[in-house]
Amino acid sequence: MLSRQDNELICRVGPGTPMGDVMRRYWHPICTSAQLPQPDAPPLRVRLLGEDYVAFRDTEGKVGVLEELCMHRGASLALGRVEEGGIRCLYHGWKFSVAGVVLETPNHSDPKYAARMKAPAFPVHEEGGLVWVYVGPKELQPAFSRFAFMDAQPDHRVVLRINVACSYLQLVEGGEDSSHVGVLHTNMARPGWKDGEFEPNPDVVNPAALASNDLEPGLKIEDTAFGFQYVALRKTSTEGVKNARVVPFILPYGRIIPAPAFSFTVLEVPDDDTHTSTYIIVYGKAPVTEDKIIELLGLDDKRYYDRKTCAFSASWADAFGQNRERMKENWTGLRGVEVEDAAIALSQGPLFDRSKEHLVPADQAVMRVRRTLLEAVKRVAAGDAPLGVGRDLCVVSACDAQLREGDSWQDLIPAHRQVPLA
Ligand code: FES
Ligand SMILES: [Fe+2]
């Protein structure tokens, strides 16, 4: 359990909050590149850490992120015209570049006025199919952290965004919780469950395809320069050999989940205290299509997921689409990995009170997430940088492997230990 006070401390991310200060030290995805598909595409109204922004792609293809409300008299720039190298406010026609330069002020023709002013604009970096932004203190802007998925061939990678109406921490904790995989994702993890037999799932793209039937994995955890890594060890049918799934927690909300031939980098970016944009980046050594991933995640039902707005809208109105008739065949009656994960996180409420829970050893990685976040809050309050800021994250990965008794699990991904702890 976590005290109410500590729960609030790590869940609230708005401006001026301790966790908000931690989050504002990192770069964050603010939308996918596909959401701004071409130069002068319609602008996007985006929310990050409890604040509103507008993102737009100018005539040259460069992306800008500005405060949403126009600096003149506060009309939303998300209603504006994107044209001729900038975004123009509909109200009085003030026009701004991606860097916040005031290009025109039609109702005040004095050029000196425009030259003196600058619209609040934020540093932007577009890479890996995502638009990233830094909204923290200017003097503390860190180097951009690259991930391994950024080096994947574009046809070997799928980038998705899913907007879920609950706290980021519920989704992060689900992702760092190995013991739920063999239960919540029973259909994918243990396809033979109906006959009481274990048949491994042959789908090499499925991150819930477990190599073992063991529902009580033993966890081991170790701090790293980017957060921590942990291994879930499951019994196998071979004496002296365990199945080992190594998953990193990348501050402040990232993880990588191994699938047999692909990996899933997942970033749970808080829009605000009770809304999260989940970015899932799948990549591997073979081509993969968006349709395949959408289907695997269970997002191929237009009633619950809109590919254009990225809204995940399953709710209690129809029990998240749960089909009790189908539960003889489908363990949850829900549709696909992400629908199961998101429905569970939503079922905990918009912001779960962790003072009421009852934890067991299989929840150790979840406990470590909280500890790592609380430590980050302390570091930032003491004037230090939180872990991982400005680090190159290309060496961070995940794996699912067989481990012989006596072998070290940390040797499965030696690179995780090569970056010294700060
Ligand atoms: S409010 Fe935007 S130009 Fe006046
Ligand atoms: Fe899950």
Side-chain angles (χ1 to χ4, degrees):
M1 67 165 263
L2 192 66
S3 71
R4 276 186 152 207
Q5 196 185 3
D6 282 351
N7 195 43
E8 290 283 306
L9 197 60
I10 56 177
C11 288
R12 303 277 174 200
V13 294
T17 59
M19 195 63 212
D21 289 347
V22 171
M23 292 274 180
R24 282 168 174 77
R25 300 294 294 272
Y26 298 87
W27 285 83
H28 302 281
I30 198 159
C31 61
T32 64
S33 295
Q35 288 186 282
L36 295 169
Q38 74 277 328
D40 293 337
L44 273 184
R45 190 164 173 250
V46 278
R47 191 161 166 79
L48 175 67
L49 305 175
E51 297 186 279
D52 295 310
Y53 302 90
V54 63
F56 68 101
R57 192 183 291 284
D58 75 6
T59 316
E60 282 178 11
K62 281 204 222 87
V63 177
V65 174
L66 306 179
E67 280 183 9
E68 184 202 351
L69 301 186
C70 176
M71 63 183 290
H72 175 220
R73 278 176 45 212
S76 173
L77 291 173
L79 290 172
R81 299 174 63 92
V82 185
E83 57 191 14
E84 294 158 355
I87 187 164
R88 186 187 296 281
C89 179
L90 284 191
Y91 205 178
H92 312 92
W94 289 27
K95 184 173 159 193
F96 310 100
S97 77
V98 290
V101 174
V102 183
L103 299 169
E104 288 171 36
T105 53
N107 64 350
H108 186 67
S109 55
D110 175 3
K112 281 199 224 104
Y113 181 80
R116 272 207 317 273
M117 310 297 288
K118 193 160 182 282
F122 299 87
V124 170
H125 182 95
E126 187 171 16
E127 192 167 9
L130 294 171
V131 174
W132 301 74
V133 68
Y134 175 75
V135 296
K138 277 198 182 65
E139 66 286 4
L140 296 175
Q141 183 182 328
F144 180 74
S145 292
R146 297 190 73 252
F147 286 77
F149 70 76
M150 293 172 176
D151 294 321
Q153 273 176 242
D155 67 332
H156 290 191
R157 179 176 70 206
V158 168
V159 178
L160 289 176
R161 172 181 175 176
I162 303 131
N163 305 340
V164 185
C166 69
S167 157
Y168 82 101
L169 193 56
Q170 282 151 231
L171 296 157
V172 167
E173 290 185 352
E176 299 291 332
D177 168 16
S178 202
S179 79
H180 88 279
V181 179
V183 184
L184 177 64
H185 307 308
T186 284
N187 263 61
M188 286 151 277
R190 305 179 293 122
W193 67 276
K194 292 184 290 288
D195 314 316
E197 281 181 24
F198 180 66
E199 303 157 17
N201 184 339
D203 184 355
V204 295
V205 190
N206 199 315
L210 291 184
S212 160
N213 206 16
D214 183 358
L215 296 182
E216 193 182 350
L219 303 192
K220 293 188 178 159
I221 310 177
E222 172 177 277
D223 288 336
T224 62
F226 50 79
F228 66 82
Q229 60 170 341
Y230 80 95
V231 66
L233 294 165
R234 290 178 170 85
K235 294 180 206 90
T236 66
S237 48
T238 314
E239 185 65 22
V241 174
K242 289 210 165 162
N243 170 250
R245 273 166 78 89
V246 180
V247 169
F249 170 64
I250 305 163
L251 273 162
Y253 45 53
R255 65 183 181 272
I256 303 177
I257 303 290
F262 288 83
S263 60
F264 285 57
T265 303
V266 187
L267 306 168
E268 308 285 5
V269 185
D271 303 344
D272 56 33
D273 295 349
T274 54
H275 295 85
T276 304
S277 294
T278 298
Y279 291 90
I280 300 182
I281 305 101
V282 183
Y283 80 101
K285 294 202 168 75
V288 59
T289 64
E290 186 172 302
D291 284 346
K292 160 77 187 165
I293 301 301
I294 290 260
E295 186 196 330
L296 182 149
L297 296 176
L299 298 172
D300 54 343
D301 184 334
K302 289 197 176 71
R303 285 174 303 168
Y304 304 121
Y305 180 67
D306 182 322
R307 284 203 201 195
K308 192 162 185 304
T309 63
C310 308
F312 180 75
S313 52
S315 73
W316 275 115
D318 64 350
F320 305 98
Q322 188 180 43
N323 183 339
R324 289 202 168 261
E325 287 302 303
R326 284 189 64 216
M327 284 170 82
K328 290 187 200 81
E329 303 296 315
N330 172 331
W331 199 80
T332 59
L334 297 165
R335 197 186 175 100
V337 187
E338 174 62 15
V339 173
E340 289 170 340
D341 284 331
I344 288 294
L346 287 164
S347 79
Q348 293 174 302
L351 201 167
F352 177 55
D353 172 6
R354 293 173 175 76
S355 66
K356 293 182 177 168
E357 60 188 11
H358 299 84
L359 299 173
V360 296
D363 297 313
Q364 276 173 83
V366 169
M367 292 183 239
R368 186 67 74 101
V369 167
R370 301 168 186 179
R371 201 168 99 196
T372 304
L373 293 173
L374 285 167
E375 271 164 23
V377 166
K378 271 197 212 129
R379 282 177 77 112
V380 170
D384 296 325
L387 285 185
V389 160
R391 294 257 183 206
D392 178 8
L393 299 172
C394 290
V395 297
V396 185
S397 62
C399 79
D400 186 321
Q402 302 298 87
L403 190 73
R404 269 174 219 292
E405 214 168 281
D407 287 356
S408 146
W409 67 272
Q410 290 96 339
D411 289 344
L412 291 171
I413 311 180
H416 285 183
R417 285 184 141 185
Q418 280 159 12
V419 194
L421 287 170

